[in-house]
Amino acid sequence: MPLGIFAFFATLAVISALGVILQRSPVHSLLALIVTLLCVAALMIGLDALAVGLLQAIVYVGAIVVLFLFVIWLLNLERDPEESGRLGIKLLAAVGAAALVGELTAFLTRTHMSQQTVNSDYGSMAQLAGLIFGNYLIAFEVTSLLLLVAVVGVVAVARRWPSPRLANRPPTLSAKPQT
Amino acid sequence: MQALGPLILSWRSVLAPGIVALTAVVTMLVGSGLSEDESESVGWIALTGLVAAAIASLAASGDHIVTFGGSLIIDDYTAFFYLLIPVCSAVVVLFSFDYVAALGLPATEYYALLLFATTGMMLMAGAGDLIVMFLGLETMSISAYVMAAMAQRDPKSSEAGLKYFLLGAFSTGFLLYGIALLYGATGSIKLEAVAQMVRKHSIALSPFVLLGLGLILVGFGFKVAAAPFHVWTPDAYEGAPTSVTALMAVGIKLGAFAGFIRVLLIYLAPLHAQWSGVLWALAALSMTVGNLAALAQENIKRMLAYSAIAHAGYILVGMTAGRSEVGPALLYYLLGYAFANLGAFAVLVAVEQAQQSGTKLDDLSGLARNHPMLAAAMALFMLSLMGMPPLAGFVGKFYIFSVALESRYVWLVIIATLNSVVSAYYYARVIVAMYMREGAERQAQTRQPTLLFALAVAALATVIIGLLPHPYISASSAAYASAEQVLRPATAALQTK
Amino acid sequence: MTPINYYLGLGALLFAIGTVGVLIRRNLIVVFMSIELMLNAVNLTFIALGRAMGSADGQVIVFFVMIVAGVEAAVGLGIILAAFRNRLTVNADEFNLLRW
């Protein structure tokens, strides 16, 4: 990817990322997040990771962000109330940010890393599939378990209490039932 | 595609976790066909699967073999945890039966998630590359987040799940970034390849490796609840249903430490000089924060949470020493810790049900008169956690501290010993409350054979592992030695040079 | 060609922004978005490092991380929903039944 195009997407990604954490309204944060995610997808494609870049756009923007949007609407969240400024937390955040910026400079001052030339099939679906069903077979199978966990977990935690059997139980064992 | 040697597909490495995962699926299928009142019996399916998996762990024992292109490792270390983790989960299932019904938790989902979490823990112990370890960690953590939040109508439970989830997901980011940097420095996420690269001095000290190591320490620090990454622990432990807290305090710790010890002590051993200082600080801080905060707690679940932080600190003392002699001590310590904690939570579950009460210290007053058996068992577990000879907790602590002392970590051992003394106070408080304080006369009695059986298993294990430590120490030594086999060829090659 | 270091730097910067977001925001949903931002920064780092070495392993890892992020999003939003139902708030400061 030429430097100019990289600079464009990188700047846009950083600005929109700041938008995610600085805007008051959750929906605006979410819109900023979409821009960041798409910029990162573009940068991935620029790094010859075409399949993963497209997946990034489809999975994140198409599924995860929609899920966020759905929850925001479901909870009917508008603007946040005035952010309560807790000095300790903010200070901690500042120190953390400083440490991470330090890390950043450690990267940039390191010796120049160049991109190697790669075959034309680099990052193709076929190559990824070869790896996934080869060396990463176990990891792939574990992800199927993870998806099952997600299905069962969401049902368990987000479902409303269905049965009348539970309706007249006290919420905890120590709370006395109301008579 | 790179040639990484032949792809060994071995049923031996996947048998035990596979059985647990399949049992989870069977549990869901059977449970969905049952009515809500019947569904509690799926616990028996879960129990059968866990016992089968514990037996199947034998398949994973033997010499060190890397299977599935480096994803899973077969050796005695893996087999040790493949045996221990399902046994601990089975004990949790045993004391969950009536508790799940009493709290009105959805039984099918409860047992399915418990089995999925167990699979994740086992994968962490057997993982041979960082991505399988990460996925195992996520499987166990995400199941645990949900289980903590499961008692929906108790606002404390969903709050516990929420805090556990947010901080857990936050720490995941750090762990993953650490893995990324290590990948960048060494060109692989296979632990063996990472270890080979790290042994070269030029790479070992690159900023990539050091930053990656630091971030991985942060990520694991969160998972094992080491201070200062412990803030979620007391809230999550207190708010979650007690049986889930037991799983968090025992199973999750076992899985996380199994992975942590293997990565750090075996594969990243050449970087000992770099990480021992950080671990020193984590250990000292965890012990001190855990024990001092536990002194002030009135809720026993919260107190046990701080005690879990302190115990993570003791284990980190051993890890700081980093010598291969300390490996068996750590495994032995985990063994004693697991059963004493399981027992303590089983007693709490029994008390909550028998007295329809909470888990405050006051709720235990007079327990010795109302339920002498429960009180005696609780006293035993508290004494073991305190480190009273001749119980398992004492032998483990003594073992770890003596190895740390041999490695000349004198100050750390002094801090640890002082902390042990402090901890005696809050464990003793529980015993005093049970035996010397008058409680309200409580009539309700519940006789639950499964819960009593779970208590008996935990109590017997705590006593036997402490009184006759030799078979367990030699098993731990064999387990650790077989995990270390991976280092032998390289060391031999260095010596011949 | 853009040097790989620039991509790594961008990844670190996005990760830092995400971390700060988690620490300073009190709205749980925005906190969670910041966590997604952190995971995304890691994904970019993996891709860049894989490209620097000419190996596709980095991309496969990103594939798995995306699944994890999706699972976390589903479960996490479910838990937030359950907590909201009990307390009618998504402000982290108001979750104080258990001492934070």
Side-chain angles (χ1 to χ4, degrees):
Chain A
M1 185 181 267
L3 195 56
I5 302 180
F6 170 82
F8 171 73
F9 280 119
T11 318
L12 197 56
V14 170
I15 291 173
S16 54
L18 287 173
V20 173
I21 67 165
L22 293 179
Q23 290 186 94
R24 191 56 60 78
S25 153
V27 179
H28 291 171
S29 291
L30 194 64
L31 292 176
L33 184 64
I34 294 177
V35 176
T36 316
L37 296 176
L38 288 176
C39 286
V40 172
L43 292 170
M44 285 176 171
I45 293 171
L47 285 165
D48 299 314
L50 181 63
V52 174
L54 291 176
L55 274 180
Q56 156 100 2
I58 296 167
V59 173
Y60 270 101
V61 182
I64 296 180
V65 168
V66 173
L67 204 58
F68 272 99
L69 197 60
F70 179 69
V71 170
I72 292 173
W73 279 341
L74 195 66
L75 303 186
N76 201 13
L77 298 180
E78 306 229 335
R79 311 185 118 255
D80 272 10
E82 203 58 39
E83 291 273 329
S84 57
R86 285 204 291 177
L87 194 67
I89 295 278
K90 297 250 162 86
L91 204 67
L92 198 70
V95 170
L100 281 157
V101 170
E103 174 199 48
L104 179 86
T105 44
F107 270 127
L108 293 175
T109 51
R110 243 184 70 84
T111 46
H112 183 86
M113 280 175 100
S114 60
Q115 307 190 11
Q116 297 183 355
T117 49
V118 285
N119 296 334
S120 60
D121 77 332
Y122 178 81
S124 69
M125 256 324 178
Q127 193 195 16
L128 295 189
L131 282 171
I132 288 172
F133 293 103
N135 277 328
Y136 293 92
L137 182 64
I138 290 290
F140 183 68
E141 296 297 334
V142 178
T143 54
S144 68
L145 285 185
L146 258 176
L147 290 172
L148 263 179
V149 169
V151 173
V152 182
V154 171
V155 168
V157 86
R159 178 176 68 170
R160 278 177 196 276
W161 289 92
S163 73
R165 182 175 78 107
L166 299 168
N168 37 27
R169 286 256 178 86
T172 55
L173 285 177
S174 52
K176 296 287 169 277
Q178 312 218 322
T179 44
Chain B
M1 243 169 287
Q2 326 92 306
L4 275 166
L7 191 62
I8 305 171
L9 306 174
S10 165
W11 60 272
R12 286 171 55 202
S13 55
V14 290
L15 185 64
I19 288 177
V20 181
L22 274 180
T23 314
V25 176
V26 172
T27 305
M28 291 193 303
L29 288 176
V30 174
S32 64
L34 297 174
S35 79
E36 205 163 320
D37 284 313
E38 296 164 330
S39 69
E40 274 133 26
S41 55
V42 293
W44 292 106
I45 300 176
L47 194 62
T48 317
L50 288 169
V51 172
I55 295 167
S57 67
L58 284 175
S61 64
D63 281 335
H64 185 92
I65 306 174
V66 169
T67 59
F68 289 100
S71 292
L72 286 175
I73 295 172
I74 305 175
D75 56 18
D76 287 343
Y77 183 90
T78 306
F80 179 88
F81 283 103
Y82 276 12
L83 175 64
L84 181 59
I85 290 170
V87 167
C88 290
S89 292
V91 174
V92 174
V93 170
L94 278 174
F95 63 72
S96 292
F97 278 105
D98 288 276
Y99 190 67
V100 167
L103 278 186
L105 302 178
T108 310
E109 286 91 339
Y110 176 90
Y111 290 113
L113 287 170
L114 191 148
L115 290 167
F116 281 129
T118 309
T119 317
M121 296 162 202
M122 293 166 79
L123 287 169
M124 281 204 80
D129 70 29
L130 288 166
I131 200 70
V132 172
M133 188 167 285
F134 172 71
L135 290 170
L137 182 125
E138 282 297 302
T139 311
M140 89 179 179
S141 307
I142 292 178
S143 310
Y145 304 149
V146 174
M147 290 177 81
M150 220 173 202
Q152 279 183 9
R153 296 182 323 145
D154 179 3
K156 276 188 174 180
S157 169
S158 57
E159 186 174 327
L162 186 67
K163 289 177 175 175
Y164 191 18
F165 165 74
L166 281 176
L167 288 172
F170 187 46
S171 72
T172 299
F174 286 98
L175 181 64
L176 202 58
Y177 204 18
I179 293 175
L181 296 185
L182 221 50
Y183 167 68
T186 60
S188 178
I189 50 153
K190 310 282 174 200
L191 282 172
E192 239 158 284
V194 170
Q196 274 170 17
M197 295 298 282
V198 158
R199 240 173 256 141
K200 298 178 191 162
H201 195 66
S202 56
I203 291 177
L205 295 178
S206 81
F208 274 85
V209 172
L210 295 183
L211 283 171
L213 183 65
L215 289 165
I216 285 178
L217 288 180
V218 172
F220 273 114
F222 263 104
K223 284 297 160 199
V224 301
F229 312 114
H230 68 285
V231 280
W232 57 273
T233 320
D235 292 342
Y237 279 34
E238 184 188 341
T242 309
S243 58
V244 177
T245 312
L247 190 76
M248 281 154 56
V250 176
I252 302 251
K253 278 250 166 124
L254 284 178
F257 266 119
F260 198 15
I261 290 173
R262 198 195 294 260
V263 170
L264 214 58
L265 257 59
I266 294 177
Y267 290 96
L268 295 182
L271 297 177
H272 178 248
Q274 276 73 43
W275 52 253
S276 62
V278 181
L279 278 198
W280 196 103
L282 287 184
L285 207 57
S286 303
M287 291 185 296
T288 313
V289 169
N291 283 319
L292 290 184
L295 292 177
Q297 301 309 319
E298 287 301 320
N299 187 323
I300 298 179
K301 269 160 91 177
R302 213 173 166 85
M303 185 208 93
L304 283 173
Y306 282 109
S307 131
I309 296 168
H311 281 275
Y314 300 138
I315 296 170
L316 288 173
V317 169
M319 290 180 71
T320 308
R323 310 203 316 184
S324 57
E325 290 83 15
V326 86
L330 294 173
L331 299 192
Y332 178 85
Y333 190 89
L334 283 173
L335 207 60
Y337 166 85
F339 286 106
N341 257 294
L342 280 175
F345 283 108
V347 172
L348 287 185
V349 165
V351 168
E352 272 184 77
Q353 284 179 264
Q355 308 188 342
Q356 300 283 305
S357 70
T359 53
K360 291 265 168 60
L361 200 56
D362 291 338
D363 295 318
L364 255 63
S365 2
L367 192 72
R369 215 181 38 182
N370 293 333
H371 302 278
M373 291 252 292
L374 287 184
M378 190 65 167
L380 177 76
F381 301 129
M382 288 298 121
L383 288 175
S384 180
L385 286 175
M386 191 193 293
M388 189 64 79
L391 299 168
F394 167 75
V395 184
K397 233 183 230 178
F398 185 77
Y399 195 175
I400 286 190
F401 291 177
S402 57
V403 178
L405 209 54
E406 280 167 33
S407 315
R408 311 215 171 279
Y409 285 96
V410 180
W411 276 106
L412 196 56
V413 174
I414 291 175
I415 297 173
T417 317
L418 286 178
N419 265 297
S420 292
V421 175
V422 171
S423 77
Y425 173 73
Y426 61 84
Y427 292 124
R429 261 177 91 197
V430 177
I431 301 176
V432 168
M434 291 189 304
Y435 281 89
M436 303 188 184
R437 265 200 257 157
E438 289 292 306
E441 194 72 42
R442 316 252 190 185
Q443 290 299 324
Q445 282 273 2
T446 47
R447 295 236 167 267
Q448 297 170 37
T450 52
L451 196 151
L452 292 179
F453 184 64
L455 265 179
V457 169
L460 274 179
T462 307
V463 173
I464 291 176
I465 293 171
L467 276 180
L468 305 165
H470 293 292
Y472 302 97
I473 289 177
S474 57
S476 310
S477 306
Y480 193 75
S482 92
E484 270 195 327
Q485 276 171 4
V486 64
L487 299 177
R488 293 269 161 71
T491 355
L494 276 178
Q495 280 162 355
T496 50
K497 248 182 212 171
Chain C
M1 291 291 260
T2 313
I4 292 292
N5 300 59
Y6 290 12
Y7 289 93
L8 298 180
L10 177 64
L13 195 56
L14 290 179
F15 191 85
I17 293 174
T19 312
V20 172
V22 172
L23 294 174
I24 64 169
R25 292 302 298 256
R26 311 311 299 159
N27 183 320
L28 294 172
I29 296 196
V30 179
V31 168
F32 194 21
M33 282 182 210
S34 307
I35 292 175
E36 292 289 337
L37 198 59
M38 289 166 68
L39 288 183
N40 229 264
V42 178
N43 280 353
L44 183 63
T45 309
F46 266 120
I47 299 272
L49 290 170
R51 182 65 184 77
M53 292 179 279
S55 97
D57 291 279
Q59 300 183 28
V60 177
I61 297 166
V62 169
F63 176 78
F64 293 129
V65 175
M66 278 182 189
I67 297 177
V68 168
V71 168
E72 269 187 357
V75 170
L77 290 171
I79 291 177
I80 291 177
L81 213 58
F84 180 83
R85 216 181 277 148
N86 273 323
R87 310 293 284 284
L88 298 179
T89 179
V90 287
N91 186 337
D93 288 335
E94 289 175 40
F95 284 89
N96 49 12
L97 277 185
L98 304 161
R99 251 177 305 146
W100 180 242

